[in-house]
Amino acid sequence: MAATTTPTTTPPAASRTTTSLPGRRRQLAFVYGWLAPILALFAVFSLVPIGIAVWLSLHRYNQLAPVSPFIGLRNFTYAFTDDPAFLNSLAVTGKYALVAVPLNIVLSLAVALALNHITRLRALFRTVFFLPAIASAVAASLVWVPIYDPQAGWLNAVLNLLGLSGKSWLGDPGTALWSVMVTSVWQDLGFNVIVFLAGLQAIPLDFYDVAKVDGAGVVSRFRHVTLPLLQRTFVFVFCLTTIGYLQEFTRIQVMTAGGPLRSSETVVLHIYQRAFGDFQLGYATAMSLILMLIILVIALVQMRILRSRWEY
Amino acid sequence: MTLSRRGFLGRSAAGLSAVAAGSVLAGCSSGSAPEGTVVSKPVDGKLNVTWWSHNNPSFVTANTTMIKRFEAENPGIHIVYQYFPYDVLARKLQAAYRARNVADIQQMFGTWVTEYAVNQLLDEVPSSLSGSEPTSRFWPAAVGAYTHRGKLYGVPHEYNLENGGILYNPKLARKAGITEPPATWADLVEAGERLTRIDSKGRADQVGYAFTGNDSITFTFLSMILQLGGDFWADDGVHVDFHSPQARKAWIDETELVTKHKVDNTTWYTGDPYTMFFRGRAAMAHQGPWVVASGRADFPKFTDLAYIAEPPYAGDTLKFAAESGWGEVVNAKADPKVREAAWKFVGFMARPDNARIWNLTSATVPALKELQDDKQMLAKAPYLKVPFGVLPHGRWVGRVHDRDEFWTYIHDAFVSVELHRQDPVTAIAEAEKQINLMIDEKIGP
């Protein structure tokens, strides 16, 4: 007779790792115990300030007044309906990022490609390009202000030597933003060059060898090997550079203070002036939250578009 | 970016006045402070009264001189003094009042005071100090921002002038065939035209009348309205009105100084009008008397300097609006004994013999009426003769709410006309609209 036996099955892999309830609790306690300090730091320095910022943005906050009345979304609607300077600053920031980000990336990639192909003095050139990046933005701006001086600056002096007439680069609404942009790209180039160079040097040479065997030329190798394999580096550089330029403040503050005629007033500068010049902290916080949302959306879109679906 | 007097105070490296250097300052030195400098600490057994001020070296020297003199007369009271950079002080005061850990006495810029007074944070000045009427002792322009609903909430130490005087380079004038300083507005415009030199590229080698700094544009505009018999405040006393015939005429005439007469241009140089003057690149410059001492300190080799009276634009007196300058306020929440001692010290500083020293040392114009045409002051600072002459014609500018925004809107309107981006009437109407929106936002629903 066939013995009826309860089939004994080997426990599934998952159940082998399953621990008893008290054991799991101990594990969780261990994990949360170790995470607690960083969670506390995150709560104190990120969540609480964000919460306070949201609270501030919904109030007419005057540090000196005994009460700060709740005004709902008035600060947000005010930004878009009664403060043309805010809309102007959004446009200025957009223009700044739209031009400076591609310019920075194209130039830094070109420099990185050039550095990747030289062996002699590469370290020297890398250092030269990186040096401005380690200078403070204030120092870099102070170097460029006299260069742009309409009377004694060497930019106009060179133009005059060439028979061209100079300009008041920082004093003319038509050129002020572009002049600061040049300084920004000059200063920030080095950082992206280093990142791109690292990305380029991480690409296995085998890919290029195979491409060469298949008859791919320089342009084709760049188009079909270098660019796709740099995609992860692109995402990193693109997001960081865009976020940096959307938050541009120091160079603008030092070189033009947002003028003339607010032609170079970026959003962060406008927020700063409202917060610490006019002490409209509630309104400034509302603008900060608007900027945060804009940056968040742009960063997510960039990461979505540029995401990489493969590994090598 | 141009430098206002308030901005100038932010420069920690500001030079000491020539007057002060030669007289009161001997033996005293003060450097710039990184964030805040403690000059003295509380002393056991004495009534300690704390005092905050900004860090401009000449002001610090004037303040420490006052402390020494006061403590010599009042050995039971000790002033615990601390000073901060201008910007830090402005923010620290707001935060400290909020946190209720503010000094007993603070040196405040007049324009700041009203906001604190409105929110009942300041102690009312005792009648023994203010007199029956604040304006009986102090000039109305100096005391305006310290007054709220007829009560005085601080004691001004200076009359913050931007109008009344013009830096004048006699050497450049003589070279252009001008033998006498301009006595009328027409003379001023004509001299400005003759003293402007434009190179082949269309830029000015030399500016005839530098006045396009942020402060001068606004103060000149307001002054011109008043001289035409108009007012820049609307009937409600809260909003501005730049639609009056006087405001329009003043604005058109002011903008024509650059669009038609071309005596200055906001884009020809990036420095401040007064530094252009002391570099010999501007023959005349519109600036308050504070700049004489600063310019002498910063440009010691420059000697072609005269400080002449600003000719009236209309009528025979130079009516003008002025901000209230630096003075002392006392924390309303301080201990009553401390408050009493604090007012004693503030009153001591406002005594004419002490005020004279303070004003000379800080290179400021006295807020005390009694010191007008003071012989001792004129002997040490002869350039004060010009501002002394106009003091009675000034009035307080009024509650501008947000000083920087108010000035910026007018400045930007001026530049947009100069650059032909807007016609004058549209530009000033836009400035009026923005200023009134700002005021509405500040007042709230």
Side-chain angles (χ1 to χ4, degrees):
Chain A
M1 156 179 133
T4 26
T5 55
T6 310
T8 54
T9 52
T10 312
S15 66
R16 281 200 300 269
T17 58
T18 304
T19 51
S20 61
L21 203 55
R24 182 167 169 72
R25 278 190 185 144
R26 274 201 303 276
Q27 276 185 344
L28 282 175
F30 176 79
V31 170
Y32 284 122
W34 279 99
L35 283 178
I38 194 70
L39 286 175
L41 281 176
F42 180 71
V44 171
F45 293 107
S46 293
L47 292 181
V48 172
I50 290 172
I52 293 172
V54 172
W55 184 89
L56 273 176
S57 70
L58 301 174
H59 291 75
R60 186 186 302 280
Y61 181 78
N62 179 347
Q63 287 193 83
L64 300 180
V67 289
S68 303
F70 176 78
I71 53 169
L73 296 175
R74 170 67 186 140
N75 282 326
F76 293 91
T77 55
Y78 179 81
F80 291 104
T81 56
D82 293 327
D83 185 11
F86 174 68
L87 296 178
N88 172 72
S89 70
L90 276 181
V92 168
T93 308
K95 195 196 296 181
Y96 192 83
L98 273 175
V99 177
V101 173
L103 191 65
N104 184 317
I105 286 175
V106 168
L107 286 175
S108 54
L109 181 59
V111 173
L113 284 168
L115 289 179
N116 197 37
H117 278 89
I118 61 168
T119 47
R120 290 183 61 195
L121 302 177
R122 182 194 286 173
L124 173 70
F125 282 114
R126 204 169 47 195
T127 308
V128 166
F129 279 106
F130 193 64
L131 268 179
I134 58 172
S136 80
V138 173
S141 308
L142 289 174
V143 168
W144 278 81
V145 168
I147 291 173
Y148 287 130
D149 190 289
Q151 300 283 343
W154 66 252
L155 182 56
N156 277 356
V158 170
L159 290 173
N160 290 342
L161 278 177
L162 297 171
L164 303 167
S165 64
K167 286 186 80 73
S168 175
W169 299 98
L170 298 174
D172 185 329
T175 55
L177 185 68
W178 308 108
S179 303
V180 180
M181 207 182 287
V182 168
T183 305
S184 301
V185 172
W186 168 80
Q187 193 186 10
D188 299 340
L189 198 69
F191 180 79
N192 286 350
V193 166
I194 296 295
V195 176
F196 273 130
L197 200 55
L200 286 170
Q201 288 175 350
I203 298 174
L205 292 175
D206 300 356
F207 288 99
Y208 291 105
D209 292 339
V210 171
K212 273 183 196 169
V213 170
D214 286 347
V218 175
V219 175
S220 190
R221 289 202 297 274
F222 176 73
R223 165 82 181 79
H224 295 292
V225 179
T226 309
L227 282 184
L229 296 184
L230 269 183
Q231 202 164 355
R232 286 171 186 277
T233 313
F234 264 115
V235 175
F236 177 74
V237 168
F238 223 83
C239 283
L240 276 196
T241 311
T242 307
I243 291 169
Y245 285 156
L246 287 173
Q247 295 177 334
E248 182 65 53
F249 169 75
T250 312
R251 286 175 286 239
I252 295 279
Q253 168 74 344
V254 174
M255 295 177 77
T256 64
L261 295 180
R262 299 185 193 267
S263 62
S264 61
E265 188 176 87
T266 56
V267 178
V268 178
L269 182 66
H270 187 61
I271 292 170
Y272 170 79
Q273 285 169 345
R274 288 294 181 137
F276 301 109
D278 314 340
F279 298 107
Q280 288 180 284
L281 294 177
Y283 178 50
T285 313
M287 288 191 290
S288 304
L289 291 174
I290 293 170
L291 178 65
M292 188 189 80
L293 281 177
I294 291 171
I295 290 176
L296 186 69
V297 169
I298 290 174
L300 287 175
V301 168
Q302 281 182 340
M303 290 173 78
R304 176 88 183 163
I305 291 172
L306 295 171
R307 71 181 167 178
S308 173
R309 295 183 183 83
W310 46 264
E311 298 281 349
Y312 65 85
Chain B
M1 249 191 339
T2 54
L3 190 70
S4 67
R5 183 174 169 283
R6 297 180 318 131
F8 165 80
L9 291 168
R11 295 190 321 171
S12 57
L16 300 177
S17 82
V19 176
S23 54
V24 190
L25 293 189
C28 302
S29 66
S30 54
S32 60
E35 276 300 304
T37 298
V38 180
V39 177
S40 55
K41 291 183 176 172
V43 174
D44 287 340
K46 291 193 176 186
L47 183 60
N48 291 292
V49 180
T50 51
W51 183 24
W52 288 351
S53 83
H54 64 87
N55 73 338
N56 180 269
S58 56
F59 275 61
V60 169
T61 309
N63 293 343
T64 47
T65 305
M66 288 299 111
I67 292 172
K68 277 180 196 162
R69 291 170 65 90
F70 176 73
E71 289 182 346
E73 268 189 31
N74 300 272
I77 302 173
H78 175 57
I79 306 294
V80 185
Y81 181 45
Q82 192 173 6
Y83 58 85
F84 307 88
Y86 173 86
D87 290 347
V88 174
L89 177 69
R91 282 158 211 159
K92 189 176 176 67
L93 285 174
Q94 295 243 346
Y97 265 107
R98 182 77 179 182
R100 298 184 179 186
N101 63 351
V102 74
D104 304 314
I105 311 172
Q106 304 110 45
Q107 200 157 68
M108 271 197 197
F109 188 69
T111 304
W112 305 348
V113 174
T114 315
E115 186 77 11
Y116 289 83
V118 167
N119 287 298
Q120 300 172 336
L121 298 167
L122 305 180
D123 200 32
E124 193 184 332
V125 177
S127 56
S128 57
L129 236 172
S130 59
S132 54
E133 281 290 322
T135 50
S136 63
R137 287 195 71 200
F138 307 100
W139 294 107
V143 87
Y146 290 83
T147 314
H148 174 57
R149 292 185 177 163
K151 293 176 180 172
L152 192 61
Y153 288 92
V155 174
H157 286 316
E158 64 152 343
Y159 194 130
N160 184 41
L161 269 181
E162 287 298 337
N163 292 89
I166 292 173
L167 294 166
Y168 180 74
N169 187 323
K171 190 175 161 188
L172 291 178
R174 278 195 302 275
K175 265 172 82 176
I178 300 168
T179 52
E180 290 295 323
T184 65
W185 185 259
D187 290 348
L188 179 73
V189 175
E190 193 198 335
E193 285 177 334
R194 285 172 65 180
L195 287 163
T196 300
R197 286 202 326 247
I198 298 175
D199 67 12
S200 58
K201 300 266 192 282
R203 295 191 305 261
D205 279 338
Q206 179 181 296
V207 173
Y209 179 50
F211 78 104
T212 53
N214 197 28
D215 277 354
S216 287
I217 286 174
T218 303
F219 279 119
T220 300
F221 174 49
L222 303 182
S223 171
M224 289 164 96
I225 296 172
L226 295 177
Q227 289 175 63
L228 286 170
D231 197 350
F232 44 88
W233 290 110
D235 291 339
D236 65 2
V238 176
H239 297 90
V240 294
D241 176 9
F242 297 148
H243 274 89
S244 67
Q246 295 92 341
R248 285 193 178 192
K249 177 169 169 45
W251 182 248
I252 288 169
D253 284 349
E254 188 183 15
T255 52
E256 282 188 349
L257 286 173
V258 294
T259 56
K260 183 177 165 189
H261 304 291
K262 300 187 187 304
V263 300
D264 194 14
N265 184 312
T266 51
T267 63
W268 276 335
Y269 54 89
T270 53
D272 308 306
Y274 98 94
T275 59
M276 286 292 287
F277 177 84
F278 283 98
R279 290 196 171 99
R281 305 292 295 274
M284 297 186 287
H286 181 271
Q287 206 95 48
W290 61 275
V291 86
V292 176
S294 322
R296 279 181 177 156
D298 289 349
F299 301 87
K301 290 180 182 168
F302 185 87
T303 53
D304 303 313
L305 167 68
Y307 193 61
I308 62 169
E310 180 184 344
Y313 158 72
D316 53 5
T317 48
L318 186 92
K319 291 180 188 166
F320 63 97
E323 287 182 278
S324 301
W326 291 95
E328 315 307 320
V329 297
V330 171
N331 175 15
K333 302 280 191 312
D335 179 86
K337 272 187 180 175
V338 172
R339 262 186 284 154
E340 192 184 329
W343 284 123
K344 193 171 187 180
F345 176 61
V346 176
F348 175 86
M349 286 179 74
R351 227 165 60 187
D353 54 336
N354 293 316
R356 181 185 295 116
I357 295 171
W358 194 90
N359 288 124
L360 277 172
T361 311
S362 59
T364 51
V365 178
L368 268 183
K369 283 182 174 176
E370 204 174 331
L371 289 177
Q372 188 194 13
D373 294 325
D374 182 77
K375 285 180 183 162
Q376 291 181 54
M377 292 197 81
L378 285 171
K380 288 182 175 167
Y383 65 84
L384 285 175
K385 188 171 173 44
V386 168
F388 277 159
V390 299
L391 294 184
H393 310 306
R395 68 172 231 194
W396 178 46
V397 68
R399 190 152 184 225
V400 296
H401 287 273
D402 187 328
R403 195 265 187 205
D404 290 340
E405 287 289 306
F406 191 108
W407 264 238
T408 299
Y409 284 124
I410 295 176
H411 174 267
D412 284 358
F414 186 90
V415 177
S416 70
V417 174
E418 181 186 349
L419 297 175
H420 304 291
R421 292 194 165 198
Q422 284 180 306
D423 67 89
V425 175
T426 309
I428 200 61
E430 182 67 21
E432 179 197 88
K433 181 182 158 196
Q434 291 304 325
I435 290 170
N436 285 336
L437 272 173
M438 175 272 291
I439 291 171
D440 285 339
E441 186 58 20
K442 285 280 182 183
I443 295 170

